[in-house]
Amino acid sequence: MTKKIKIQQIRNIGIIAHIDAGKTTVTERILYYTGRSHKIGEVHDGEAVMDWMPDEQERGITITSAVTACPWDKREIHIIDTPGHVDFTIEVERSLRVLDGAVGVFCAVGGVEPQSETVWRQADKYRVPKLAFINKLDRIGADFNGTVDMIRTKLKANPLIVQLPLGVEDNFRGVLDLIRMQAIVWDDDTLGATFSYTDIPEDEKQRAETYRDKLIETLADVDDNVMEAYLAEESLDAKMLVQAIRKAAIDLKLVPVLCGSALKNKGIQPLLDAIVAYLPSPAEVASIQGIHPESKQIVECPPLDSKPLAALIFKVSMMEGRKMSFARVYSGRLEAGKDVYNPMRKCKEKVSRILRMHANKRERVDSVGAGHIVGVVGLKDSSTGETLCQANNPVLLENIEIYKPVISVAVEPKTHADMDRLKDVMDKFLAEDPTLSLRQDENTGQMILSGMGELHLEVITSRMRREFNIQVNAGKPQVVYRESIAQETQAGAEFDKEVAGQRHFGQVRIRLTPLQRGTGNKFTNKTKEDNFPQAFVSAVEKGVLESFESGPQMGYPVVDVGATLVGGSFKESMATELAYRVSAAMACKTAMAQANAYLLDPIMKVEIYVPEEFMGDVIGDLNSRSGKIEAIEPKMGIQEIKAVVPLANMFGYSTNLRSSTQGRGTFTMRFSHFDRV
């Protein structure tokens, strides 16, 4: 029987950052120093505990967010190690949705990199309190103050320096704690497991006192108690400062900044202390609100075990062929062997087992209360973003925003025997990853798999081979376009047929109008009761929206079009929903064919980092790809180019950029919008 943990002792945190800033390395040290693992797993050796998938170990990157729990200072810290690669942004989004705090890891050499900005914005969206950990201070070119300035300017955050590096680059040996005014130095012989608090060296005292004064001044701006003590020139003890920093961090007014070098085993234990000291327990964040599925009234879900159950599934994973749902319990208790209710699917589910996770290892528990993040086995139909509650106290929690796939690949099995299995395997991947989609091309009969990027699709096809032993051929990725119309047009259609022994009649007239880019599709009814039966308007709307799923040019979805029902007729005994739905779809198809339809390209926001001497070549290459440069900013010895480029022109760009910059250029790309090129 697992010892029950009070909600005040729990910390639910995520480690977020740009690819290669050291997130997984930081997490591995946390697991080692908290006693969760008995040796340090290194990412570069392919032995990191949290990167347990073969593809992660081979590539040295995090692909799937892994969940673990570890003890520290009589608290239990639940950690989600998230990916930094832009193709797996959904993993970060759904993790942040259920977390109470986040640790942003920044490379002291690279500073605030593009994907750091993306994940930081995602954390801001969910109002997640954050700490910043400036990593890799032992590296040549490490710049602590430069990185803090970038946190202020690029992330629009208010950093509060609570630690200073003691030495830098080869001389980095520890940190200066500005709260307690002591130096912390690590013992290299014990892999950083032992460390000592010492007096601040004489040559560092002046710098430490200057920064401590700045810390108190910054705190005084946001905390009345500190302001009063500061104005009265009273001395401020560590306890008072910690309380003030905690309140300011939870209120999103300040971001405490710590530093270290995870690879050299320095700075992790004070980071754990800071997680406990400055980030909130589930009891200290605002109660989550849901809505009643029937009455649509707001339902409060306070973090109390005694209240009705409210839990959110934030991830579904296939582990050893079995479906595992990861859930965050916001309110009430989740118990093994009991039924739960899914209000979105209006069905009951049985919780057969509850598992406390440690990456891909797990420990069974009978029940968990509010604040816990656990794995649940036994849920057949429930999926990502859906709520688990009690049938007599239903509540719908806010769903998770899903990104639209932008790149496609044609997949086909190498042998006929694999054909049936491929569909089953793809169903498992689709349940796991909501940013994937699969469709069968009507013209070619091919299975088209769409995802967030080339690496995303590469990993999926690799997992098919490794985990399910299905050999597939994957065609060159095709871009997922959209279609729209250039001019206003009208068309009518009539459906008058006998189907299954019943006569169906419906006649409509539809006007299509191009809308502003990004508006989406809109349906309007301009008919009156006396000339069109209003009972069939919803059937007409359904037919119109169905017709927008496939455009006249190449069968891509149609966007940014306004459809108006302007007229129609009906025959009393023969008017049916089917007839109006079909006639509306026919009218739309006819109108779209006359409206000068055109393709819309997915346009990507691209951020490129290059040394100055390669700027000319990189800009010339972007112009040849129909790129539009929006800004060029100098940044720590290199130039940052911000541009928008059609996705169709970005294939193979990483190889091109490496060869034209002698391997020194890097870039990130994310979907921006659809537009006409």
Side-chain angles (χ1 to χ4, degrees), residues 145-326:
N145 287 339
T147 306
V148 173
D149 287 343
M150 287 174 76
I151 290 171
R152 184 178 291 109
T153 55
K154 293 201 99 178
L155 303 178
K156 305 292 183 277
N158 193 0
L160 179 76
I161 297 171
V162 296
Q163 286 181 358
L164 288 173
L166 183 56
V168 75
E169 297 182 351
D170 291 346
N171 298 320
F172 178 70
R173 55 193 189 279
V175 300
L176 303 177
D177 181 346
L178 300 179
I179 307 293
R180 292 166 187 81
M181 286 303 276
Q182 288 180 304
I184 311 174
V185 181
W186 276 265
D187 182 355
D188 289 333
D189 297 334
T190 61
L191 286 175
T194 56
F195 54 95
S196 52
Y197 284 89
T198 62
D199 291 336
I200 293 174
E202 282 299 322
D203 57 340
E204 294 282 1
K205 271 187 177 164
Q206 184 62 51
R207 182 168 76 112
E209 278 165 12
T210 304
Y211 274 91
R212 184 183 163 91
D213 288 345
K214 278 187 194 170
L215 178 145
I216 291 168
E217 281 173 30
T218 308
L219 272 179
D221 288 341
V222 296
D223 189 283
D224 293 342
N225 294 335
V226 175
M227 172 67 87
E228 285 169 22
Y230 178 63
L231 293 175
E233 296 185 0
E234 293 171 11
S235 67
L236 288 142
D237 62 3
K239 189 179 175 185
M240 188 177 183
L241 290 176
V242 167
Q243 281 175 345
I245 295 169
R246 178 181 184 77
K247 188 175 182 306
I250 292 172
D251 292 345
L252 305 179
K253 290 177 180 172
L254 295 173
V255 177
V257 178
L258 298 93
C259 58
S261 166
L263 192 64
K264 294 293 167 71
N265 312 312
K266 294 176 172 67
I268 301 301
Q269 294 93 336
L271 175 62
L272 282 162
D273 289 337
I275 288 167
V276 167
Y278 305 137
L279 293 180
S281 74
E284 291 167 296
V285 292
S287 294
I288 194 162
Q289 291 184 331
I291 59 164
H292 192 285
E294 305 300 330
S295 68
K296 305 299 178 196
Q297 288 183 319
I298 289 174
V299 179
E300 288 282 338
C301 302
L304 297 168
D305 291 9
S306 56
K307 294 290 179 185
L309 173 68
L312 183 78
I313 299 169
F314 66 94
K315 179 179 164 70
V316 172
S317 192
M318 294 295 164
M319 288 188 167
E320 296 155 11
R322 272 185 151 177
K323 182 176 172 181
M324 166 89 74
S325 304
F326 291 89

